[in-house]
Amino acid sequence: MPMSRDYWEHRYQTKDMSWEKGAPSPGLVDFLAAHPELPRSSVAVPGCGTGHDVRAFAAAGFVAHGFDLAPSAIALAGEKTQAAGLAAKFTLADFLHDAPPQLFDWVFEHTLFCAIQPAEREEYVRAVLRWLKPGGQYLSVNYFITDDKDGPPWPTTRAEQLARFSPHFELVADWLPRSYPNRTGKEWLFWWRRKAV
Ligand SMILES: C[S@@+](CC[C@H](N)C(=O)[O-])C[C@H]1O[C@@H](n2cnc3c(N)ncnc32)[C@H](O)[C@@H]1O
């Protein structure tokens, strides 16, 4: 059964937010610092939570837009972004089923893939394709937990990521990123470019 909007909203309302680290993905921070040559284009961050990754993209000069299913996440993200003096948009949306408000140059993934039901993963791949421009890029920080059978989060592996995304994307690079202390060695960063159709 899909995790509903009520499920996620309840987790925000009860402050049951174990994923909330108060800072962007360290792997994303390093990626942005390492690539000043990349055009500062549009990026969608689905399942953005309170918006740390969206603000990291905005601070680096991207036109950043966060999306989340939970109204409280969108409200918190907007407040934090205003307080930080950054410009970014946040919109309530179901990434898996809604049409994007525009097509994006980038989609950035961080703990949404592991948060949806494993049975929804093909829909997730279709959503990335639906939200990206032709030739767009997909950057993902995937959480390689192996022992959690009672998600979210649910496990994934490098082999699964390659099997799901290789038919539609060329792998530009993948590597072990810097992580939050309690995720060290458990994350993997993939940089994909959408194949021409
Ligand atoms: C584990 S949290 C991660 C939040 C954020 N990416 C982070 O790392 O701090 C998963 C987030 O995805 C949101 N979410 C779950 N399903 C979604 C969907 N179908 N569309 C958009 N957001 C979704 C939840 O509301 C929640 O904010």
Side-chain angles (χ1 to χ4, degrees), residues 3-5 7-9 11-12 18-23 25 45-53 67-71 73 92-97 108-112 114-116 120 152-153 180 183:
M3 312 304 295
S4 67
R5 172 171 160 162
Y7 167 85
W8 289 107
E9 178 60 17
R11 293 207 49 173
Y12 282 95
S18 45
W19 59 84
E20 171 62 46
K21 306 296 182 203
S25 158
V45 182
C48 64
T50 65
H52 300 294
D53 300 321
F67 298 87
D68 206 284
L69 199 55
L92 190 65
D94 178 346
F95 179 64
L96 298 184
H97 303 110
F108 177 66
E109 152 66 38
H110 179 207
T111 57
L112 175 60
C114 68
I116 59 170
E120 296 176 304
Y180 304 122
R183 292 190 196 162

Side-chain angles (χ1 to χ4, degrees), residues 4-189:
S4 67
R5 172 171 160 162
D6 287 352
Y7 167 85
W8 289 107
E9 178 60 17
H10 182 73
R11 293 207 49 173
Y12 282 95
Q13 299 241 349
T14 56
K15 304 206 180 339
D16 178 15
M17 296 149 66
S18 45
W19 59 84
E20 171 62 46
K21 306 296 182 203
S25 158
L28 172 63
V29 171
D30 292 352
F31 176 83
L32 292 171
H35 291 286
E37 82 289 359
L38 290 172
R40 274 23 200 172
S41 49
S42 61
V43 57
V45 182
C48 64
T50 65
H52 300 294
D53 300 321
V54 179
R55 284 186 291 283
F57 273 108
F62 284 77
V63 181
H65 199 151
F67 298 87
D68 206 284
L69 199 55
S72 290
I74 293 299
L76 283 167
E79 285 164 22
K80 287 174 187 284
T81 302
Q82 198 176 19
L86 288 165
K89 270 184 156 177
F90 294 93
T91 302
L92 190 65
D94 178 346
F95 179 64
L96 298 184
H97 303 110
D98 290 346
Q102 64 174 84
L103 297 185
F104 290 90
D105 296 294
W106 291 83
V107 168
F108 177 66
E109 152 66 38
H110 179 207
T111 57
L112 175 60
F113 186 91
C114 68
I116 59 170
Q117 291 278 350
E120 296 176 304
R121 289 180 175 179
E122 261 318 297
E123 265 177 301
Y124 179 98
V125 176
R126 285 199 296 275
V128 175
L129 294 168
R130 198 169 67 246
W131 285 59
L132 262 187
K133 287 181 184 174
Q137 302 184 70
Y138 173 58
L139 189 72
S140 72
V141 179
N142 287 105
Y143 190 27
F144 284 3
I145 32 156
T146 52
D147 49 357
D148 198 338
K149 294 182 175 52
D150 189 19
W154 281 281
T156 185
T157 60
R158 184 170 183 275
E160 183 192 6
Q161 294 298 312
L162 295 181
R164 289 195 185 276
F165 289 94
S166 294
H168 313 285
F169 293 85
E170 284 155 19
L171 187 59
V172 179
D174 69 313
W175 63 94
L176 177 72
R178 189 167 62 87
S179 294
Y180 304 122
N182 74 337
R183 292 190 196 162
T184 298
K186 296 179 182 168
E187 292 184 310
W188 201 258
L189 211 151

